[in-house]
Amino acid sequence: MKPPPFSYHDPRTVADTVGLLASLDNAKLLAGGQSLMPMLNMRYVLPDHIIDLNRVDGLSYIKPRDGVLEIGAMTRQRDIEFSDAVAERCPLMAEAIRQVGHRQTRNRGTLGGSLCHLDPAAELVSIAAALDAKVTVAGKSGTREIDFAAFPVAYMTPALELDELLTAVTFPCWPRGHGYAFVEFARRHGDFAIVSAAVLIEEDKSGKIARASVTLGGMGPAPVRAAEVERALIGETIEEKRLREICESLRKLDAIDDIHAPASYRQQLATVLPRRALIKAHERIAPEGWP
Amino acid sequence: MSDTRQIAVTVNGMRYQEIVPVRVTLADFLRHQLGLTGTHLGCEHGVCGACTILLDGRSARSCLMLAVQADGHEILTVEGIAPNADTLHPLQEAFRDNHGLQCGFCTPGILTTLLELLRDNPDPTEEEVRIGISGNLCRCTGYQNIVIAALDAAKRLRGSSGASQP
């Protein structure tokens, strides 16, 4: 099993990368290679050109800024896993990333690669949806920002023009001490989730939910924000019986039916995992900040 | 099409200057061009972990990298773990003593993976070891003796580093 023939390019700047993308036909960007390389080895993709991003300057960083965390597209998943800034400001991402593949794949795999590959069950894709991330994209006509909600346009297809590449992702951070939990059901550790739930909550002083973000991964081509449930949670206290009622509505969500699980199984998980995640998130709320 | 490139890599402390076709994976380069057949290829699509090497000290699947991408980098394969031809590394000794392998096909990938794990976490729990090797498939042992060997190796390595540090 060998990759098909291609021409190899390893630009050093974003501008050169955009230039190559604009001038070459049938080109594929190579980030961490943890999805594209298997696809090449199995010849699912037959690009004429591979543009390797691994030597492009300035795409690997984790920058905490005012209320947000900006992460370069080529930042390795492993660096996110071990980042103090991520643990402090986006603990949801820190929790989810430990379930992305394995140590060996996280050492190479990148944030941008995962978001652009856009596997429906990928953990980082769900986290970007849960946190209302914005992606920064560079192309021939300059850079632009896209709300992550508008980034997936179809199954495994990001809203990128042919001459564009993802350069950075900005994650708005929730206040210190918020509740968070990422819970997934997978057959084995490191597998893609069959269904995952990413939850963020804030409670007021009386313990009532003041703000909630509930995201399901693995249900359809892109993660689903459960807006109805998010609204229903406002003003509620975390109590298992009530959560059961609220989350029951998630059974109506469309779900894919595949070799891993029938749709009805995913819909059942969609009612269970958010409830578990909400309970876990509530237990982690720490008004004084986490230890 | 046979695009090629010249690359310079350090493998197990040895410097190599080689011409490689750009589409050759790092795993095939190590095995076919450098003759380092200790790195095994099971699935060639990033699932089995047999081809794990250390790239600049970090474990990576060598079937999921192109050889050209290794230009300027340092690689450690299973051949480079032992300090010399007559002495096994404590990790290898622990595998021998605890029957941590049967057919041995997965062993090169498991050893390189554990080398990184035990370097970063010298006193892992059993669960941490199991999660650490979750990206490596073994079809013989049922993992039991691999985990026992890894924990034993951790103990040996802690002992030896303790002894060498005043």
Side-chain angles (χ1 to χ4, degrees), chain A residues 80-288:
Chain A
I80 295 173
E81 183 180 352
F82 283 95
S83 156
D84 290 337
V86 172
E88 265 170 42
R89 292 168 155 250
C90 285
L92 178 71
M93 194 183 327
E95 178 168 51
I97 207 149
R98 289 194 286 272
Q99 311 197 41
V100 176
H102 308 281
R103 194 184 182 89
Q104 302 101 326
T105 63
R106 292 196 296 273
N107 277 338
R108 295 289 300 163
T110 64
L111 171 66
S114 177
L115 296 191
C116 290
H117 183 62
L118 218 54
D119 189 289
E123 287 84 357
L124 287 170
V125 175
S126 269
I127 296 310
L131 286 163
D132 295 305
K134 282 188 194 313
V135 299
T136 308
V137 156
K140 265 210 108 162
S141 46
T143 63
R144 62 183 178 119
E145 279 211 328
I146 309 171
D147 285 340
F148 191 77
F151 192 60
V153 290
Y155 179 65
M156 299 181 97
T157 311
L160 290 172
E161 300 299 328
L162 285 174
D163 65 354
E164 285 181 327
L165 75 147
L166 180 68
T167 55
V169 189
T170 307
F171 298 93
C173 303
W174 283 47
R176 208 172 152 69
H178 67 266
Y180 65 92
F182 183 84
V183 174
E184 72 173 33
F185 181 78
R187 295 286 292 270
R188 291 160 299 228
H189 181 92
D191 280 8
F192 280 113
I194 290 176
V195 174
S196 69
V199 159
L200 295 148
I201 50 169
E202 272 181 73
E203 292 178 1
D204 64 18
K205 286 206 176 70
S206 63
K208 289 198 168 79
I209 295 174
R211 185 182 168 204
S213 165
V214 177
T215 306
L216 286 159
M219 296 291 284
V224 185
R225 277 290 287 271
E228 206 180 300
V229 166
E230 289 175 5
R231 275 194 301 275
L233 285 167
I234 304 296
E236 296 283 344
T237 48
I238 295 287
E239 191 267 311
E240 181 158 0
K241 192 158 158 278
R242 183 71 189 114
L243 290 181
R244 244 176 231 281
E245 289 165 16
I246 292 173
C247 294
E248 182 56 33
S249 67
L250 296 167
R251 198 183 297 277
K252 292 180 306 205
L253 287 174
D254 283 337
I256 39 178
D257 202 295
D258 65 12
I259 186 172
H260 303 295
S264 60
Y265 191 84
R266 285 191 164 85
Q267 286 157 337
Q268 167 68 18
L269 287 172
T271 68
V272 173
L273 298 179
R275 168 166 45 92
R276 288 185 189 160
L278 282 161
I279 291 169
K280 207 168 170 187
H282 169 70
E283 285 164 0
R284 283 169 168 168
I285 284 186
E288 309 299 317

Side-chain angles (χ1 to χ4, degrees), chain A residues 2 41 79 103-104 107, chain B residues 28 44 58-59 116 136:
Chain A
K2 303 288 170 273
N41 285 352
D79 294 326
R103 194 184 182 89
Q104 302 101 326
N107 277 338
Chain B
D28 280 345
E44 297 187 68
R58 286 178 162 205
S59 62
E116 182 196 39
N136 297 78

